[in-house]
Amino acid sequence: MRQFLSQQVCTFDAVGGGGLELAKLIPIDGEGEYIGDGEINIQFKSPLGALQTSYAYYGKDEYDDDTPAGWYDEMEDELISDFTFNPGEGFQVNAGTACNFLYSGEVNMAETDVPFRQYLSMQGNIRPTAVDIQDIIPVDSNDENAEYIGDGDINIQFSSPLGVLQFSYAYYGKDEYDDDTPAGWYDEMEDELADYTFGAGEGFKINAAQAGYLRFPEM
């Protein structure tokens, strides 16, 4: 994970199902040592991009005397001990230094529909392996009657470490982008079908005209 701003998602769920507990997510450096002193912040944004909450990681006795290691809500001055990510839930990281997240759990390799809300949300590649963007389809429901959401209504966005939009890909159905064009994600600025592969757990933003789901294929 890079320094400053980035998006992230957990590629493992809790053993037996359910999302991963925040307490089991540990930021570490290249030597495998935890990064404390509040340098790593997990942030949650509103649909309009406003910061709602953030949690910072501190080692033992770093937040205050006799305090345990863990994630702290610095605004509320409390340890966060009961937060669990929903499966596939993305988040933003503001990091004082580049880091990795150490965690473990159960891998879900079945076809999976990950919900996204209308307007802005944080999402990511939920698989612990690389995934081609063209294998992911935005759909309007999480059942067998789901239909794709096309006409460029769903945009995957990539931002710089300072939060500036760098590029985005929009989804179109067959013949929607132009005559005789296949369904897929398109780079509208370059006027071409997107050629992009997500790394394991790589995050991104979605700007959506309506709520829906990202359908990841079975692996």
Side-chain angles (χ1 to χ4, degrees):
M1 190 174 311
R2 67 192 182 195
Q3 188 179 22
F4 306 125
L5 293 177
S6 62
Q7 288 73 49
Q8 181 78 13
V9 70
C10 298
T11 58
F12 295 88
D13 293 334
V15 175
L20 191 74
E21 295 176 22
L22 174 64
K24 295 182 178 179
L25 197 66
I26 311 296
I28 59 173
D29 61 20
E31 304 299 321
E33 300 293 330
Y34 80 86
I35 302 173
D37 291 316
E39 286 197 33
I40 308 301
N41 282 258
I42 286 178
Q43 302 180 336
F44 298 88
K45 300 291 189 76
S46 76
L48 297 181
L51 179 65
Q52 292 182 305
T53 55
S54 67
Y55 303 136
Y57 192 84
Y58 288 84
K60 186 177 185 301
D61 299 328
E62 288 181 353
Y63 188 76
D64 205 347
D65 292 339
D66 301 318
T67 53
W71 294 94
Y72 285 81
D73 184 329
E74 296 170 309
M75 295 296 293
E76 298 296 327
D77 193 29
E78 63 182 9
L79 178 69
I80 303 302
S81 58
D82 58 355
F83 182 87
T84 299
F85 294 102
N86 294 319
E89 180 179 2
F91 50 89
Q92 183 163 281
V93 176
N94 191 359
T97 182
C99 72
N100 296 307
F101 276 134
L102 177 67
Y103 57 91
S104 62
E106 186 172 83
V107 180
N108 177 11
M109 301 300 269
E111 180 179 270
T112 303
D113 294 334
V114 179
F116 60 81
R117 64 194 180 195
Q118 189 178 24
Y119 307 126
L120 287 177
S121 62
M122 305 297 167
Q123 305 291 330
N125 174 18
I126 63 170
R127 306 301 191 193
T129 60
V131 173
D132 190 316
I133 190 173
Q134 301 298 349
D135 291 334
I136 303 171
I137 302 172
V139 293
D140 60 5
S141 65
N142 62 341
D143 57 42
E144 61 183 13
N145 297 316
E147 296 184 0
Y148 76 86
I149 305 173
D151 290 316
D153 282 347
I154 309 301
N155 281 259
I156 285 178
Q157 300 181 340
F158 299 84
S159 299
S160 75
L162 297 181
V164 178
L165 177 66
Q166 292 181 305
F167 56 96
S168 65
Y169 300 135
Y171 193 86
Y172 289 83
K174 187 177 185 299
D175 299 328
E176 288 180 352
Y177 187 76
D178 205 347
D179 293 338
D180 301 318
T181 53
W185 297 92
Y186 283 81
D187 185 328
E188 296 171 307
M189 295 296 292
E190 298 295 329
D191 193 28
E192 62 186 11
L193 196 64
D195 179 14
Y196 192 85
T197 299
F198 293 107
E202 181 182 355
F204 49 85
K205 295 178 184 178
I206 282 189
N207 191 1
Q210 68 177 79
Y213 298 81
L214 289 180
R215 177 161 289 176
F216 285 78
E218 181 179 7
M219 298 190 74

